Amino acid sequence: MEETDFQDVLDDWFIESLNAYKDLHVYQLEHPTQVLEWTSGKTVCVGGHGASKNEILELLLPLKLFADENKGLCAERDFKVVHGGFTEGPVRCLRHVPGSRCVVTNDGLSSDLQVWSVGGDDSDVIRLTGRVEGRKRRTTKSVSGGGSRIAARLSSQVLHGAQSGDVQLTQLTSGQILYTLETTSDDPLSSLQFVSDAVFLAGASNGNVYVADTRTSAAPQLHPAPASPGESALWWTDASPRAAVLRLSSSGQAVVSDLRSPGGAVSRARLDVQSGRGDPEVGVSWAPALDGCIAVSGFGGAVQIYDTSLWATEPRDAEPLFEHRGHAVSSRSGVFVAAHVWHPERPRTLLSAASDGSVHVWDWVDQSAAGC
Amino acid sequence: MPEIKVTPLGAGQDVGRSCILVSIGGKNIMLDCGMHMGYNDDRRFPDFSYITQNGRLTEFLDCVIISHFHLDHCGALPFMSEMVGYDGPIYMTHPTKAICPILLEDFRKITVDKKGETNFFTSQMIKDCMKKVVPLNLHQTVQVDDELEIKAYYAGHVLGAAMVHIKVGLESVVYTGDYNMTPDRHLGAAWIDKCRPDVLISESTYATTIRDSKRCRERDFLKKVHESIERGGKVLIPVFALGRAQELCILLETFWERMNLKAPIYFSTGLTEKANHYYKLFITWTNQKIRKTFVQRNMFEFKHIKPFDRSYADNPGPMVVFATPGMLHAGQSLQIFKKWAGHEKNMVIMPGYCVQGTIGHKILNGQRKLEMEGRATVRILFQLDVKLQVEYMSFSAHADAKGIMQLIRMAEPRNMLLVHGEAVKMEFLKGKIEQEFNCHMPANGETVTVTTNPSVPVDISLNLLKREMALGGTLPDPKKPRTMHGTLIMKENSLKLVSSEQALKELGLNEHQLRFTCRVPLQDPHSDPDTLHGIYLHLKSVLKGYTIQHLPDGTVMVESIVIKVSSSAEDPNTKVLLLSWSYQVKYFHLLKKG
């Protein structure tokens, strides 16, 4: 694309953004990140994924974003790097341990985890404080990747595993294994999350979802993969605080089901996810403060917001409520969004990170009459 | 070892004023001489007592270099040169020389007239100070004296801002001042060649930030202006003639064109005259786009932006006005502000920092009731209720964490020095830089001493070179140093390395050989030759790998050490071992062993 054309398209998008967004911040990291994880309401962690030495950074969001009444008097628009550390391998998964200043990472090459202390006011260094061994494989079935999914809860307990068959709950301080998921299956996982204090959900790439309670040793409840026509697809899963489970396939099939009724589906839709990439790193997430809304990223250079309350039991093509195209428009060559995350309290604020190192913070305006 | 010493003047952790002392190769240089805008007393000036307890600074400093016209870099210059006393050269770029005195005078007026201060420099002092200025061009080496040379590089940031390269002999320092690595609408990005200075000095203030993009800042500006205009409000933008005025005008013009907006935009005439004048003078300091614009038309010839007249301020309906001065401390912008402040629909956008004591500073701190002076035959005070919307926007261009790394990698210094940061809070950044370069972070008032390892060029005689090559086989390799024998001759300014024989010849001296002897008594009943033979056998068994010979003339040779045995006639059992070796011999340990 010609330079002037590129600038024109970019200018056009910025002009449109005047009405489309309340707040908009655009940053360029030195190295792209695949992880975005809140460590507090105002700080977020990112990590590089190059082959050798990488940085983990804790960034403070711009003060202007949070200055409500005196917003006009606050000129501060920049990220502040409040803590930083170095890691030997890539950071493929990063989770904050709630109620602590610890984060846990996995490099995607093995199932082991690294434990980090993010540091307080006295130092700006993120230090490696320990390691957690992943559960050893019982079978010799080799799995591509080998990276673990991680979920964390209070009291420094971390749930982790790369396959459904090796999920365990480890106490970080003692290293003690408090619980293991007993299942005969070995499905590679695409997500792992707590849906309550004791109940968790393990979403497999083949579409199966396992729901288990860490207080019992009972077998997990299986929500089988939705029937999908044609070739086997990859699936990604997210559960909302209201016990709704969303599953999205690589062909764009979206299914919302209830956590309490395995096998059923509440609503479906077909999303327009023209993927230019063979193996997309997809993120799907329910909005924490906007009922029924979800965000989807990873198929290309945009982040799409959908309102699932408009979906019906029979699948129909769904139009996004909003599309953030900032990354695609700002990049001269193909770019894809590697990660996105909703702000835990502000209803329409999201962060998104793309493969070119850009990180955007945006607060979109709902221009439809009804909906979220 | 040769050293470079760097001391940021100041106390404690305070940031906000730049004044750095550098000692290099016997020269003392002051980098910037800024005022701390947060203090009202002597703390706002740098602490010159570090240089000398009392008296003038002239004999202690070889030169002063100012990086750009911001007050936190040049605000204390007239105080230093005229009130403390300095008569040597002050170096700065041409635009800085033109703009500095204007800002200093403005600042002086505010401080003395508005705040009633007495211990401050006068207008005459500013003029006298500027007489000592020697202007610099970009990339031009200037000889301050026989040994000290300086060169200015483009820094971006503001018009005329420079990074400076200082060289004394084979040691060098680069000081960045404020700079930025991303070009904007009217300035280019900083650039320096791979000069590999011994020390690179930079501010760390923004080293731990990641900057929001220029376009997002502009978007915010356009959004605010648009919102006000849409509700029928008036927008006042107080600007300094050479700050962001040009850039913001271009931005609004483009926006108005695209959105087909009709509300009028004005700029005050004082603004345009000055701005045009300066941009014409310093066209090489702006970026390509501006230069092209200038060639095509007048800087302030816009379709939608017209010159302002005082009476327009009372016109009904929405409008945007750019007016000077930038901090609302006097003149047209203040007059307009007084008229518009009482209405909620209106807005004032402050595009930069405001000095304490100005209306701009007060409203940016949230003050909603102001005491104003009225213009009448009798001086009256009245209260102004500030009801309009106040917006503070920062457009200043600084390098962030990424930008700093870019610059460091461009220059490739041997040592990196970051000033104005809290070392404890910057351990990560230090660690990051130290992966590639040495890094120091002195506290204010603390001196960092950097030892340098300058390469000294020496000529070597062809004979000596040939001899060394014959020994070593390969060409000299900087990564594999090896020792060699020779004599260094220093004649005038040249250094020559020759072989010892040649040196002796040149000096007309004879070579002498030193030979040492040592007598070792030994009890041995055998005959002299037998004793000698016994020693020979013993040495042969103990000193394997060395050349040991038993010569027919009655001596044993271990390499080049000569051993003889003799005894006195009176006591044939008492032998004396005579050992003899020349000064060249390195086998003393052998002697001990044997």
Side-chain angles (χ1 to χ4, degrees):
Chain A
M1 192 185 246
E2 283 271 3
E3 179 63 22
T4 38
D5 292 338
F6 172 76
Q7 295 293 342
D8 284 345
V9 167
L10 190 53
D11 282 340
D12 282 341
W13 183 79
F14 267 97
I15 299 289
E16 279 164 30
S17 80
L18 290 179
N19 290 326
Y21 301 85
K22 235 176 71 194
D23 288 310
L24 179 65
H25 296 261
V26 166
Y27 303 95
Q28 190 64 36
L29 297 179
E30 216 179 324
H31 308 285
T33 181
Q34 277 179 345
V35 300
L36 280 172
E37 172 80 350
W38 294 103
T39 46
S40 79
K42 295 189 176 155
T43 52
V44 75
C45 268
V46 297
H49 56 91
S52 57
K53 205 156 189 181
N54 288 289
E55 291 173 8
I56 300 179
L57 304 174
E58 187 188 35
L59 308 172
L60 177 68
L61 262 57
L63 299 178
K64 196 173 174 81
L65 197 63
F66 302 102
D68 291 310
E69 312 88 50
N70 286 328
K71 211 168 174 110
L73 299 182
C74 182
E76 194 53 68
R77 300 186 63 93
D78 302 332
F79 269 158
K80 184 127 176 68
V81 179
V82 282
H83 293 95
F86 297 102
T87 173
E88 287 308 312
V91 179
R92 299 272 180 209
C93 189
L94 190 152
R95 263 317 145 236
H96 172 237
V97 179
S100 79
R101 287 294 286 153
C102 271
V103 296
V104 182
T105 62
N106 172 262
D107 62 8
L109 304 166
S110 81
S111 58
D112 296 340
L113 309 179
Q114 295 88 37
V115 184
W116 306 83
S117 159
V118 179
D121 287 334
D122 52 340
S123 154
D124 73 328
V125 177
I126 298 179
R127 287 178 218 282
L128 184 69
T129 53
R131 281 177 214 282
V132 173
E133 267 186 29
R135 197 154 145 199
K136 294 299 167 229
R137 303 288 304 108
R138 288 167 303 168
T139 71
T140 51
K141 208 191 324 180
S142 65
V143 179
S144 65
S148 285
R149 300 281 107 198
I150 311 170
R153 69 181 186 194
L154 287 167
S155 318
S156 293
Q157 293 173 3
V158 172
L159 189 68
H160 57 107
Q163 274 92 250
S164 51
D166 60 15
V167 174
Q168 67 188 38
L169 182 72
T170 306
Q171 173 70 50
L172 282 185
T173 41
S174 63
Q176 196 189 352
I177 298 171
L178 305 170
Y179 166 92
T180 54
L181 179 63
E182 297 300 339
T183 167
T184 50
S185 66
D186 263 331
D187 305 333
L189 297 179
S190 61
S191 71
L192 200 56
Q193 69 184 113
F194 280 102
V195 291
S196 75
D197 285 343
V199 176
F200 70 90
L201 175 155
S205 317
N206 60 12
N208 285 345
V209 166
Y210 300 89
V211 182
D213 189 319
T214 55
R215 293 167 296 196
T216 81
S217 54
Q221 200 184 43
L222 168 67
H223 298 231
S228 77
E231 54 199 76
S232 59
L234 293 172
W235 290 86
W236 295 273
T237 309
D238 189 43
S240 82
R242 296 182 196 292
V245 178
L246 168 75
R247 272 177 284 193
L248 178 65
S249 81
S250 48
S251 56
Q253 208 186 340
V255 178
V256 176
S257 55
D258 191 307
L259 195 66
R260 294 157 294 209
S261 50
V266 170
S267 60
R268 295 168 193 271
R270 276 192 301 266
L271 308 187
D272 181 14
V273 288
Q274 317 219 331
S275 174
R277 305 176 49 219
D279 207 358
E281 187 72 42
V282 167
V284 295
S285 59
W286 288 97
L290 214 52
D291 269 354
C293 280
I294 59 162
V296 176
S297 73
F299 289 100
V303 180
Q304 294 167 323
I305 313 284
Y306 291 92
D307 181 2
T308 62
S309 64
L310 302 174
W311 295 358
T313 44
E314 281 309 308
R316 282 200 301 268
D317 289 340
E319 283 296 308
L321 188 61
F322 186 85
E323 199 172 11
H324 174 69
R325 291 180 303 111
H327 296 281
V329 159
S330 316
S331 169
R332 280 172 179 74
S333 56
V335 72
F336 59 90
V337 177
H340 77 263
V341 80
W342 291 86
H343 189 277
E345 281 139 42
R346 296 165 61 100
R348 288 179 191 76
T349 302
L350 285 99
L351 265 72
S352 52
S355 53
D356 61 354
S358 56
V359 172
H360 294 181
V361 182
W362 39 287
D363 192 336
W364 55 281
V365 171
D366 183 8
Q367 293 175 322
S368 69
C372 307
Chain B
M1 285 296 281
E3 302 170 333
I4 297 177
K5 287 187 163 45
V6 179
T7 312
L9 290 186
Q13 297 299 337
D14 68 353
V15 182
R17 168 223 307 113
S18 294
C19 186
I20 301 167
L21 287 179
V22 173
S23 285
I24 171 177
K27 306 286 171 190
N28 293 325
I29 300 142
M30 180 183 285
L31 299 171
D32 280 337
C33 191
M35 178 82 80
H36 196 308
M37 312 307 279
Y39 293 121
N40 284 326
D41 50 29
D42 280 353
R43 284 175 300 176
R44 61 186 155 194
F45 301 118
D47 184 8
F48 299 118
S49 64
Y50 179 82
I51 307 171
T52 173
Q53 289 294 324
N54 46 31
R56 302 178 71 78
L57 303 174
T58 315
E59 59 184 279
F60 297 96
L61 293 174
D62 292 279
C63 71
V64 174
I65 305 175
I66 302 293
S67 62
H68 64 288
F69 60 66
H70 277 158
L71 290 172
D72 55 342
H73 289 255
C74 73
L77 191 61
F79 170 78
M80 193 270 302
S81 73
E82 306 313 303
M83 292 171 87
V84 177
Y86 170 75
D87 298 313
I90 301 172
Y91 291 95
M92 58 181 77
T93 61
H94 285 274
T96 311
K97 182 178 179 200
I99 300 166
C100 235
I102 304 171
L103 283 180
L104 286 169
E105 180 53 33
D106 255 2
F107 178 47
R108 189 206 66 77
K109 262 202 278 222
I110 296 170
T111 313
V112 171
D113 299 346
K114 298 276 167 209
K115 287 158 67 180
E117 291 204 28
T118 46
N119 184 30
F120 211 73
F121 48 82
T122 63
S123 292
Q124 187 57 44
M125 286 181 186
I126 297 174
K127 294 195 178 90
D128 292 337
C129 171
M130 296 312 287
K131 288 194 191 121
K132 299 170 184 169
V133 170
V134 180
L136 295 170
N137 287 316
L138 280 181
H139 305 165
Q140 189 188 52
T141 305
V142 169
Q143 293 289 142
V144 177
D145 60 35
D146 286 342
E147 292 147 319
L148 171 61
E149 57 182 57
I150 61 177
K151 184 156 84 164
Y153 286 92
Y154 190 79
H157 186 58
V158 290
L159 190 67
M163 307 189 288
V164 68
H165 181 263
I166 300 155
K167 194 159 118 160
V168 179
L170 296 155
E171 295 171 298
S172 62
V173 167
V174 169
Y175 171 57
T176 64
D178 285 344
Y179 63 100
N180 68 289
M181 301 301 287
T182 42
D184 62 32
R185 284 179 202 266
H186 76 301
L187 292 172
W191 178 86
I192 192 165
D193 48 17
K194 216 179 267 300
C195 49
R196 298 209 176 96
D198 291 290
V199 184
L200 174 63
I201 305 172
S202 185
E203 301 269 333
S204 58
T205 324
Y206 294 94
T208 51
T209 59
I210 299 180
R211 298 281 285 177
D212 189 12
S213 75
K214 197 65 194 275
R215 275 207 159 89
C216 276
R217 289 167 206 275
E218 292 174 347
R219 174 193 174 267
D220 206 25
F221 172 72
L222 291 176
K223 195 162 153 67
K224 291 285 170 332
V225 172
H226 192 222
E227 276 166 8
S228 291
I229 297 296
E230 291 275 275
R231 61 172 185 242
K234 297 172 166 53
V235 182
L236 171 65
I237 308 171
V239 284
F240 169 61
L242 281 155
R244 303 288 144 184
Q246 178 64 24
E247 213 175 334
L248 296 177
C249 278
I250 296 175
L251 192 57
L252 274 190
E253 166 97 342
T254 319
F255 185 59
W256 247 240
E257 184 71 24
R258 182 183 236 126
M259 304 289 278
N260 204 18
L261 297 173
K262 300 291 178 228
I265 311 176
Y266 303 109
F267 46 65
S268 57
T269 42
L271 179 73
T272 60
E273 278 157 23
K274 277 202 208 118
N276 266 325
H277 170 68
Y278 287 114
Y279 273 102
K280 272 207 191 89
L281 269 184
F282 304 121
I283 195 68
T284 48
W285 285 84
T286 62
N287 77 9
Q288 270 308 104
K289 265 195 230 156
I290 299 271
R291 256 176 271 169
K292 265 199 254 175
T293 314
F294 227 132
V295 169
Q296 289 163 11
R297 59 180 167 114
N298 180 318
M299 287 289 267
F300 275 87
E301 223 168 75
F302 292 108
K303 207 166 124 189
H304 301 274
I305 312 183
K306 300 283 170 255
F308 185 66
D309 183 276
R310 263 198 359 208
S311 59
Y312 298 173
D314 297 316
N315 289 356
M319 71 171 86
V320 181
V321 178
F322 289 91
T324 55
M327 298 183 259
L328 287 179
H329 51 283
Q332 193 164 64
S333 61
L334 182 60
Q335 275 179 15
I336 301 172
F337 176 78
K338 281 187 210 172
K339 280 190 201 248
W340 294 357
H343 304 277
E344 286 124 1
K345 278 199 290 195
N346 296 339
M347 178 185 284
V348 62
I349 299 180
M350 309 296 297
Y353 176 79
C354 291
V355 162
Q356 239 186 51
T358 57
I359 301 285
H361 189 263
K362 291 182 181 149
I363 59 172
L364 286 180
N365 277 292
Q367 212 171 316
R368 300 301 275 179
K369 291 197 196 303
L370 299 170
E371 262 187 21
M372 312 283 288
E373 273 181 29
R375 245 210 290 181
T377 46
V378 181
R379 197 163 145 258
I380 53 155
L381 292 172
F382 65 94
Q383 197 176 64
L384 181 67
D385 276 332
V386 179
K387 293 202 180 128
L388 86 177
Q389 209 176 318
V390 179
E391 290 286 333
Y392 186 17
M393 297 199 182
S394 164
F395 289 98
S396 72
H398 281 275
D400 60 3
K402 184 167 161 217
I404 288 178
M405 295 309 297
Q406 277 177 307
L407 186 79
I408 299 177
R409 287 178 189 132
M410 244 193 224
E412 274 187 25
R414 297 208 174 82
N415 294 276
M416 183 65 212
L417 213 113
L418 287 171
V419 296
H420 293 151
E422 286 179 70
V424 140
K425 304 255 178 94
M426 304 191 83
E427 213 187 309
F428 167 66
L429 175 68
K430 188 162 190 263
K432 187 171 149 149
I433 295 174
E434 280 181 336
Q435 291 185 344
E436 297 168 64
F437 308 95
N438 285 338
C439 183
H440 311 265
M441 288 185 180
N444 288 334
E446 183 194 325
T447 302
V448 167
T449 305
V450 173
T451 47
T452 58
N453 206 356
S455 303
V456 181
V458 168
D459 292 327
I460 183 170
S461 79
L462 195 57
N463 280 335
L464 190 57
L465 185 61
K466 280 191 191 161
R467 184 199 290 187
E468 286 301 316
M469 302 256 299
L471 284 176
T474 53
L475 280 167
D477 182 353
K479 295 211 175 86
K480 292 193 197 134
R482 52 171 206 250
T483 50
M484 57 180 287
H485 285 291
T487 306
L488 186 69
I489 301 180
M490 285 166 64
K491 220 186 211 170
E492 283 143 14
N493 275 334
S494 74
L495 294 163
K496 209 168 54 166
L497 201 57
V498 299
S499 65
S500 309
E501 298 88 4
Q502 188 177 338
L504 288 167
K505 209 159 76 179
E506 278 191 33
L507 293 166
L509 295 169
N510 288 325
E511 189 174 355
H512 288 72
Q513 290 254 349
L514 286 172
R515 218 165 164 88
F516 295 86
T517 54
C518 166
R519 290 182 148 71
V520 181
L522 194 66
Q523 290 292 109
D524 194 328
H526 301 102
S527 70
D528 287 357
D530 285 344
T531 307
L532 188 65
H533 191 70
I535 290 165
Y536 166 69
L537 292 173
H538 170 74
L539 288 174
K540 244 199 128 64
S541 71
V542 164
L543 299 175
K544 302 220 197 303
Y546 293 97
T547 315
I548 307 179
Q549 299 166 283
H550 190 172
L551 299 174
D553 66 353
T555 62
V556 166
M557 295 263 296
V558 178
E559 299 287 334
S560 65
I561 304 169
V562 178
I563 305 173
K564 279 194 181 131
V565 172
S566 63
S567 56
S568 70
E570 299 87 31
D571 185 3
N573 286 348
T574 307
K575 311 281 182 210
V576 175
L577 272 178
L578 194 82
L579 289 103
S580 170
W581 66 96
S582 73
Y583 188 63
Q584 260 87 18
V585 169
K586 304 168 192 90
Y587 306 114
F588 197 68
H589 63 283
L590 283 181
L591 297 170
K592 292 197 138 186
K593 210 173 170 187

